[in-house]
């Protein structure tokens, strides 16, 4: 994607036109203008067909079984029935549907969006700032198409019947061998060859820092992960980069604090890293780590996007690799694109441990899939297994 991006929101690389049928999309928004412009953009792309447009959540919930959308673009602020009320009804009546919620770039919008994610929405779509005119509209269009495409493709893959285990199509991996070949090929990274999927050994050095990167589906995954690891992170500082715009990252930090029972806030430039505390990269700024006199500190940078993202995971991982080496433990969670893979490879090459979320439990297996594809991982695990594995490593367990 060559278009400019809103701070903190990722773009996906350009995709080839799909060979299968168009992705079916339902649009739910009380604005006639928004319903019209979204329908126009989706139709012009050639990748989507709009199967329904509705002015409120009630009509959408009543129609979802009939129209059978792959993706629902759901406004959260509507009369009669708002998006939060309609969301569980939509998912109950059409479970294999990806709901992309749309909200304003405000504290209220961030709070409602994150609430929707906890109720089962797959991702969020910040509405453009009208004061920025055509530039904001074009950015919003790029974001809409990238996320609807990625989520729709995931729904299609998961709707396909799977061959029986042990059949020639499924393959017959040896007992205890991790499955690293995804249903959809992970992203390749220019200049880095794809490996054969072999896993590395975990570091024998106790972790001195935990670094986590995530994007699409990340808020839900982070909540689950921190609920699992909160009691065990007292000995290490924790850094989090989630692709999000400003305001949203501050609300995310509050959610993580509640889930973990630990202090969590956006990182501040020059702030010393303290064991047991969680630092979230602020939307619109890169966050990495610098060291002086044996003390590690946060550094915030208002520089160009990396991998179309700001904040980006790679700068944080690369700084962690240089300072902590084999004492670094990193986790790459669900997300679109390949951000974090290069930095994860540096951590692994310097002896640190990298864990990636597996394809089945990821909303989008882009970032963790790319990390797996270049051979950086010591583990490729379902989300429910990542927390226990991190806890064992933090408490001196060996893998």
């Amino acid at each position: 994607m060559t278009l400019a991006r809103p701070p903190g929101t990722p773009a996906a690389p350009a995709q080839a036109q799909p060979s299968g049928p168009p992705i079916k999309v339902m649009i739910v928004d009380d604005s006639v203008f928004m319903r019209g412009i979204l329908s126009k953009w989706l139709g012009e792309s050639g990748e989507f067909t709009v199967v329904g447009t509705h002015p409120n959540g009630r009509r959408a919930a009543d129609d979802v079984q009939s129209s059978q959308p792959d993706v629902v673009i759901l406004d959260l602020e509507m009369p009669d029935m708002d998006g939060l009320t309609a969301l569980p009804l939509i998912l109950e009546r059409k479970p294999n549907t990806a709901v992309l919620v749309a909200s304003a770039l405000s504290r209220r919008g961030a709070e409602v969006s994150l609430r929707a994610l906890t109720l089962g929405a797959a991702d969020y779509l910040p509405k453009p700032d009208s004061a920025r005119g055509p530039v904001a509209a074009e950015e919003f269009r790029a974001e809409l198409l990238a996320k609807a495409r990625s989520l729709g493709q995931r729904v299609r893959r998961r709707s396909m019947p799977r061959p029986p285990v042990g059949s020639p199509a499924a393959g017959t991996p040896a007992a205890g061998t991790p499955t690293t070949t995804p249903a959809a090929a992970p992203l390749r990274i220019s200049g880095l060859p794809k490996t054969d999927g072999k896993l590395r050994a975990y570091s024998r050095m106790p972790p001195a820092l935990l670094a986590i990167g995530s994007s699409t589906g990340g808020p839900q995954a982070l909540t689950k992960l921190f609920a699992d690891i909160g009691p065990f992170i007292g000995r290490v500082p924790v850094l989090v980069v989630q692709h999000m715009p400003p305001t949203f990252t501050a609300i995310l930090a509050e959610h993580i604090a509640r889930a973990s029972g630990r202090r969590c806030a956006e990182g501040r430039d020059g702030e010393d890293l303290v064991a047991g505390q969680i630092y979230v990269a602020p939307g619109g700024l890169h966050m990495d780590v610098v060291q002086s006199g044996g003390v590690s500190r946060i550094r915030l940078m208002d520089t160009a996007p990396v991998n179309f993202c700001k904040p980006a995971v790679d700068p944080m991982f690369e700084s962690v690799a240089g300072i902590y080496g084999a004492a670094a433990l990193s986790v790459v969670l669900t997300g679109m694109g390949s951000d974090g893979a290069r930095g994860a490879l540096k951590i692994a090459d310097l002896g640190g441990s990298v864990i990636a979320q597996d394809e089945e439990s990821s909303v989008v297996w882009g970032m963790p899939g790319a990390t797996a594809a270049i051979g950086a991982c010591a583990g490729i695990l379902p989300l429910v297994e990542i927390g226990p594995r991190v806890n064992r490593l933090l408490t001196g367990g060996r893998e």
Side-chain angles (χ1 to χ4, degrees):
M1 222 32 103
T2 57
L3 297 171
R5 307 296 311 133
T9 53
Q15 305 261 339
Q17 286 293 96
S19 57
I23 295 166
K24 295 186 292 184
V25 181
M26 174 186 286
I27 300 169
V28 190
D29 198 298
D30 61 325
S31 165
V32 174
F33 171 78
M34 286 300 296
R35 296 199 302 272
I37 195 66
L38 296 185
S39 297
K40 178 176 183 289
W41 287 341
L42 291 164
E44 287 175 345
S45 76
E47 302 173 75
F48 308 94
T49 182
V50 177
V51 296
T53 62
H54 299 289
N56 61 61
R58 189 181 308 280
R59 292 191 183 181
D62 289 343
D63 180 50
V64 70
Q65 287 178 311
S66 175
S67 60
Q68 292 288 300
D70 300 310
V71 178
V72 175
I73 300 171
L74 181 65
D75 186 24
L76 292 176
E77 303 287 346
M78 295 180 291
D80 189 19
M81 181 182 286
D82 64 19
L84 280 183
T85 306
L87 175 60
L89 296 176
I90 291 170
L91 294 176
E92 178 184 354
R93 295 171 187 178
K94 176 72 168 53
N96 189 30
T97 303
V99 178
L100 180 58
V101 296
S103 68
L105 276 168
S106 63
R107 181 175 178 88
R108 164 68 180 166
E111 290 172 341
V112 176
S113 294
L114 288 174
R115 173 63 177 155
L117 295 178
T118 67
L119 293 175
D123 203 1
Y124 61 92
L125 187 67
K127 289 189 174 182
D129 181 357
S130 59
R132 296 179 58 227
V135 172
E138 190 60 27
E139 291 171 349
F140 180 66
R141 176 181 176 276
E143 183 81 1
L144 165 74
L145 297 180
K147 291 192 171 184
R149 177 190 304 119
S150 184
L151 295 174
Q153 290 172 347
R154 170 182 177 260
V155 168
R156 290 287 176 84
R157 287 197 301 271
R158 296 193 174 192
S159 299
M160 294 173 60
R162 297 192 176 190
V165 175
S167 71
T172 52
T177 301
T179 302
T180 58
T181 303
L187 290 176
R188 296 290 297 275
I189 302 177
S190 176
L192 294 177
K194 182 178 178 180
T195 69
D196 57 7
K198 288 183 179 179
L199 299 179
R200 300 186 182 224
Y202 284 93
S203 174
R204 298 184 63 84
M205 185 176 293
L209 177 140
L210 172 60
I212 303 170
S214 55
S215 184
T216 307
Q220 307 96 302
L222 289 166
T223 299
K224 166 59 178 169
L225 177 61
F226 277 104
D228 291 340
I229 69 175
F232 296 87
I233 57 176
R235 298 179 182 176
V236 299
V238 182
L239 305 179
V240 177
V241 172
Q242 162 70 39
H243 297 156
M244 272 186 162
T247 305
F248 279 62
T249 46
I251 305 301
L252 176 66
E254 295 173 8
H255 282 239
I256 291 174
R258 288 194 292 270
S260 64
R262 297 281 180 176
R263 182 187 180 278
C264 179
E266 291 181 313
R268 293 176 288 122
D269 190 52
E271 181 178 10
D272 292 353
L273 293 185
V274 176
Q277 295 191 14
I278 305 162
Y279 306 86
V280 175
L285 295 171
H286 294 305
M287 181 178 80
D288 69 5
V289 184
V290 294
Q291 195 170 62
S292 176
V295 177
S296 296
R297 295 183 175 89
I298 296 287
R299 179 173 64 177
L300 300 181
M301 299 169 290
D302 189 9
T303 51
V306 176
N307 303 317
F308 308 99
C309 305
K310 188 177 176 182
V313 181
D314 270 336
M316 186 262 283
F317 275 3
E318 290 167 2
S319 69
V320 164
I323 293 172
Y324 290 89
L329 172 59
S330 66
V331 176
V332 182
L333 296 174
T334 173
M336 189 163 54
S338 63
D339 186 31
R342 286 184 183 274
L345 185 61
K346 289 191 176 182
I347 290 173
D349 285 346
L350 289 171
S353 300
V354 177
I355 299 172
Q357 187 173 350
D358 74 349
E359 192 268 344
E360 182 63 26
S361 67
S362 295
V363 172
V364 178
W365 209 55
M367 289 166 52
T371 303
I374 60 173
C377 297
I380 304 170
L381 303 174
L383 180 61
V384 295
E385 296 181 17
I386 294 177
R389 181 66 55 86
V390 167
N391 293 340
R392 287 198 293 274
L393 294 170
L394 291 175
T395 55
R398 290 286 174 260
E399 299 296 334

